[in-house]
DNA sequence: ACAAGGTCATTGCACCTGCTACGAAATTGC
DNA sequence: GCAATTTCGTAGCAGGTGCAATGACCTTGT
């Protein structure tokens, strides 16, 4: 004899934040494992590297603002990457609070291998999803532009 | 005189796994903070609770299979929830490897408050995004059904 | 009936994260 | 010119996470 107060009916599978989290995990998992096994790189580190490959020298603050990471995440990812010899830092002489991060030659070599993997992954995703990909992107576009 | 080997051009903002991760974080952040501040509940814990509210008594294994969590995540979330008095466990007499998790009365009360918050959040998201929401969901549907 | 193998849940370990506080440097306001 | 405030990056701490190993239990095959 259990008295069950009537709970609202709520299905996790229909909850958009949950669906997005699963989709994010699902799409990044396979590739993330590749960089991890092959290069020993985590996702935060990868984001920093991609930003540096794309935008050249930048500060922690700059990356933070443009790569959806917190300041301390960038700082720690950068530390690990420095220890691995993939990036280097110098002081900015115009504002000595800022640091300038950039890829080392070794980092550039690694990115030359890594970026094509990411491009291939993206291309495969687009191909597999077909029209649904366009819809997904339209939806994401609206969502990402929204509260910003 | 810097010699820069030509790296492939790759923009993180156009990378679907990244976009999904940002979107997931963005849509869950506000609500997650609410449960955290108000009830002291993390996202893994919330998922377990929602599953129990929806599906009644279940085992760790069952949750694992249906809620996109690893077994150890469920186990640890359940441990914390038990310590907080929100769920309880008994042995399954038919198979003593399995445990049966269920909400306590206190857990049910909390969910009676928490679930409407989630429903409201979902409704607001749908409203804010309008047509883009439908597109997003169509895309997610294809993606989530895909490799499964 | 019992050994071999499989399933279920938990835990130890090392690492990662989130938060907050901090020191150094620049900017603002008087 | 100099205190008060703000900005930038880092680090301590507590707690969370991922992985592999473990122990308890069930199932299968002989």
């Amino acid at each position: 004899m259990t008295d069950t107060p009537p709970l609202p009916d709520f299905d996790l599978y229909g909850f958009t934040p949950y669906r997005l989290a699963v989709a994010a995990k699902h799409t990044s998992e396979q590739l993330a494992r590749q960089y991890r096994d092959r290069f020993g790189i985590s996702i935060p580190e990868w984001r920093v590297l991609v930003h540096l490959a794309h935008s050249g020298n930048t500060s922690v603050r700059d990356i933070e603002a443009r790569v959806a990471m917190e300041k301390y995440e960038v700082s720690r990812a950068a530390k690990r990457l420095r220890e691995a010899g993939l990036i280097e830092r110098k002081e900015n002489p115009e504002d000595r609070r800022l640091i300038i991060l950039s890829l080392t030659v070794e980092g550039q070599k690694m990115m030359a291998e890594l970026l094509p993997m990411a491009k291939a992954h993206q291309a495969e995703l687009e191909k597999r999803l077909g029209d649904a990909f366009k819809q997904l992107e339209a939806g994401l576009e609206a969502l990402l532009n929204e509260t910003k």
Side-chain angles (χ1 to χ4, degrees), chain A:
Chain A
M1 198 177 60
T2 47
D3 51 75
T4 28
L7 289 173
D9 193 42
F10 180 79
D11 186 0
L12 194 54
Y13 305 100
F15 190 48
T16 302
Y18 170 77
R19 291 162 74 77
L20 284 167
V22 175
K25 189 175 174 192
H26 187 189
T27 55
S28 65
E29 211 157 45
Q30 177 198 351
L31 186 62
R33 185 159 27 244
Q34 284 185 47
Y35 352 115
R36 191 166 58 76
D37 294 348
R38 185 103 187 267
F39 305 102
I41 294 297
S42 70
I43 288 181
E45 285 154 27
W46 181 78
R47 287 190 187 175
V48 169
L49 288 170
V50 169
H51 184 72
L52 289 177
H54 185 259
S55 303
N57 307 354
T58 32
S59 66
V60 168
R61 189 184 101 60
D62 194 25
I63 298 178
E64 174 203 359
R66 317 188 75 238
V67 180
M69 292 170 71
E70 302 288 330
K71 206 168 32 168
Y72 58 80
E73 278 185 276
V74 177
S75 177
R76 289 204 260 234
K79 185 182 180 191
R80 292 190 289 257
L81 291 169
R82 242 184 299 128
E83 285 165 0
L86 297 169
I87 69 174
E88 58 195 356
R89 54 178 278 169
K90 3 174 224 197
E91 261 189 4
N92 184 332
E94 281 159 28
D95 183 340
R96 291 191 11 256
R97 293 169 305 178
L98 295 173
I99 61 174
I100 299 175
L101 295 174
S102 57
L103 293 177
T104 60
V105 172
E106 197 188 343
Q108 288 170 8
K109 281 186 197 154
M110 200 186 77
M111 291 313 280
E113 220 177 323
L114 218 151
L115 289 178
M117 285 167 53
K119 291 188 105 152
H121 186 71
Q122 175 76 19
E124 206 217 321
L125 202 55
E126 294 184 24
K127 189 174 136 220
R128 277 209 316 256
L129 288 179
D131 279 349
F133 178 82
K134 296 190 191 78
Q135 294 191 284
L136 180 66
E137 279 299 332
L140 282 175
E141 194 61 30
L143 183 56
L144 294 173
N145 282 333
E146 200 212 19
T147 312
K148 191 182 44 179

